[in-house]
Amino acid sequence: MKVAVVGATGMVGEVMLKVLAERNFPITELLLVASERSVGKKLAYKGEDYTIIGLADAVAAKPHIAIFSAGGDTSLEWAPKFAEVGTTVVDNSSAWRMDPSKKLVVPEINADGLTATDKIIANPNCSTIQLVMALAPLHKKYKMKRVVISTYQSVSGTGVKAVRQLENEIAGIDGEMAYPYPIGRNALPHCDVFLENGYTKEEMKLAREPQKILDDRTFSVSATAVRIPTAGGHSESVNVEFLNDFELNEVRKILNDTPGVTVQDNPDTNTYPMPIYAHDKDEVFVGRIRRDETQRNTLNMWIVSDNLRKGAATNAVQIAEYLVDKKLV
C-alpha cells in the first residue's frame, strides 16, 4: 500500500502523519509531498526520516492513495493528475466538496456510497463534520426541519500563522497578523471570506454540506461562524427544529449509541464539552442537551471536537481505511 501525504509539512499534514501512525495504517511505502520550497527537507514518521518530494514526482510514483491537505488551488490542479494514474485522492480542501460528481464523506454516515470508481473523494469542512456526526442519528429518528448554528472556532482552523498571532498577542509581541484585528481577548464574526449574500464562505459550507452528506435537501441550515482565541477545538451552539417530537433521555441514548459521539451532559457536576478536553481526541462531544422552550419539537445542543483530528486528519484517514477495508483501492 503506497500512500502519499500531500501537504505533509502543514498543520493538518502533521496531524495526518500522527493519526496514520496511531492507527497503524497499512503503509508499505510512504511519500511525503509538499511545495517546492520544502522539497529535500526531512520529516520523521514512526522514527524514520523521509525526504520530502514534489508533486510531479509523487504522481510519477503512482501511489494507491493520496491524502491531500495543501489548499484548494493545489487540489484543483493536482488531484486530477493523481486520479489519472489510478490514485484515489482523499482531499481535505473545499475544492471538490460541492462538485456533484464527487462524494462528500463522513465514514460513519455515508462511506457505504463509495465505489472503486471514486478517484477524488472530498473531506467535509471541519465544522460540518462535527455537526453532522451529532445531527445524522437524530435526523434519522425525528426528521430535521431547520438548524440554526453559531460556531466558536479556534485559530488552528485558520492555520499556523493564526496560531502564531494568538501566541504573539499573549506574549505581548508585535508580529505578523493572520486576521484584520487582534484575536486575543476578542471574537471575530468572520471565518473565511465574505460573499455577496453577506454570509462568509464558512457559513455557506455549514449551510450546504450537511444536505449533501445526508443526501437530503428538505431541511435548512442557517449559520454564524465566529473565530475565538482558543488554540484548538471548535465549539458549536446548535438549535434544531424537528418535524417529530422527542424525549430528552432518548436523544441522549441515541447520541451515546452513535459511534464516534460521546455525550458529556450533567449540569449537576458541571459536565459539558469543552475544547480543552477535546484536544487530541477523535470523538465528537455533545452536551447542554435541552428542549427549546420557545418552540415545539426543538432541541438545543453544544457540540465540540478537535478540528485538526476528526474535523480534518482523522476523518480523511478513516476514509482511507474504509477504501482499504472494502478493497476499493
Side-chain angles (χ1 to χ4, degrees), residues 3-20 31-35 37-38 43 52 55 58 65-76 78-79 82 88-97 120-126 129 156-160 205 307-317:
V3 176
V5 176
V6 179
T9 56
M11 281 188 82
V12 174
E14 287 178 11
V15 179
M16 277 177 181
L17 291 175
K18 186 178 177 184
V19 173
L20 285 165
L31 307 171
L32 298 187
V33 190
S35 62
R37 67 177 177 272
S38 295
L43 261 187
I52 294 167
L55 283 153
I65 296 173
I67 308 178
F68 268 64
S69 189
D73 291 342
T74 301
S75 295
L76 284 172
W78 287 93
F82 277 90
T88 301
V89 174
V90 181
D91 181 47
N92 194 51
S93 80
S94 60
W96 304 99
R97 288 177 189 154
I120 299 175
I121 301 162
N123 210 38
N125 176 46
C126 48
I129 291 172
S156 65
T158 306
V160 68
K205 291 173 192 173
N307 54 294
L308 296 181
R309 287 190 67 105
K310 184 55 181 170
T314 303
N315 199 74
V317 172

Side-chain angles (χ1 to χ4, degrees), residues 108-145:
E108 294 91 339
I109 297 170
N110 63 340
D112 57 0
L114 290 172
T115 69
T117 61
D118 291 308
K119 287 300 176 190
I120 299 175
I121 301 162
N123 210 38
N125 176 46
C126 48
S127 302
T128 300
I129 291 172
Q130 66 188 73
L131 178 66
V132 296
M133 282 288 290
L135 290 185
L138 299 179
H139 180 51
K140 200 171 179 180
K141 177 72 176 176
Y142 307 115
K143 198 81 175 135
M144 293 187 301
K145 183 179 175 185

Side-chain angles (χ1 to χ4, degrees), residues 45-67:
Y45 176 76
K46 286 190 170 182
E48 191 179 329
D49 280 343
Y50 289 80
T51 302
I52 294 167
I53 63 172
L55 283 153
D57 287 342
V59 171
K62 297 183 179 178
H64 297 95
I65 296 173
I67 308 178

Side-chain angles (χ1 to χ4, degrees), residues 235-249:
S235 306
E236 298 171 343
S237 171
V238 182
N239 179 274
V240 196
E241 181 186 359
F242 296 104
L243 293 176
N244 302 302
D245 203 5
F246 54 84
E247 292 295 332
L248 289 175
N249 285 339

